[in-house]
Each structure stands twice: as structure tokens, then as C-alpha cells.
Amino acid sequence: MSFQPTFPGLFSPAQGAQPVPTGAMLPATEKQIAYATMLAAKSGDPLPEGITADRAALSKWIDAHKAPAPQGRFSDYPSSKQVAFAERIARLKRNPVPPECFKDRTLMSRWIDSNKPR
């Protein structure tokens, strides 16, 4: 005799439920469409026909048409939002942010990930 409860049909498909195909196209989000429209207006290139029906295709189009990240002396420094978030975490945890994190965005990101409150 077993004392473990049984739940018949727990792992069988529910009535009317259909599995989601892994290769299904998801429609683009409103934010993606707004950003792509803004980029298209700036560049003068129209959005390709029907691209808003595929999230991945629109994402590739955005990546190809957005401005490149600025390169320069301070391009590896963390953003002001990153620094502000890290300092807020440091106040909550009463643990200072290491000084080297203020000169490298990757280090700051890792420090934030390892210290953010859960």
C-alpha cells in the first residue's frame, strides 16, 4: 500500500489544449513596432511588408538599422542608471561597491547580479 497521493491526468494533455509548436512565429510587440517605425522614419527606409507579423524578423531588422553604440574613451564605463542602481543596492546591503566596478560596465553588471536583493 502506498501513501503517495495520485493525481490522474496530471501530466496528460487537458481537453482542448494544444501544444505550442517550437517554430511558431510570434507577432512583434507594440514597443518593437514603435521603435522600428521611429527608425524607419529617421532613415527614410520603409518597414518591409508584413514584418510586424514576425518578432524575430523585426528584431533582426531593428539590429541592422539602429545606430551603432558609441565608441570612445568612456564607452566601457557603466551607465548612470547602472551606478545609481548599484549604489541603492549598496545602501540596502550596507556593503560598498568596489571602486573597480565604476570603470567597467561588465564588472558593475556582475556586482549588481551577485548583490541585488531577492
Side-chain angles (χ1 to χ4, degrees):
M1 183 162 154
S2 173
F3 291 107
Q4 295 179 352
T6 59
F7 300 102
L10 180 64
F11 295 106
S12 63
Q15 295 293 337
Q18 297 178 4
V20 177
T22 56
M25 282 191 337
L26 295 173
T29 64
E30 290 181 27
K31 285 186 177 184
Q32 270 185 318
I33 295 170
Y35 185 58
T37 305
M38 188 259 318
L39 285 176
K42 278 186 178 179
S43 68
D45 295 335
L47 283 174
E49 192 70 32
I51 197 163
T52 58
D54 185 13
R55 185 179 296 183
L58 186 58
S59 182
K60 287 179 186 175
W61 188 90
I62 289 172
D63 287 342
H65 289 82
K66 70 180 179 181
Q71 296 296 319
R73 183 174 163 194
F74 300 107
S75 63
D76 289 334
Y77 279 46
S79 68
S80 59
K81 288 185 177 185
Q82 234 181 345
V83 170
F85 186 52
E87 288 175 342
R88 197 166 75 224
I89 292 170
R91 277 194 304 274
L92 287 171
K93 296 248 179 173
R94 296 186 175 143
N95 185 14
V97 180
E100 60 269 11
C101 291
F102 291 100
K103 294 185 180 182
D104 186 9
R105 72 178 45 229
T106 307
L107 285 176
M108 183 66 82
S109 179
R110 288 180 185 160
W111 187 89
I112 288 171
D113 288 343
S114 64
N115 288 286
K116 66 182 168 188
R118 299 198 189 327

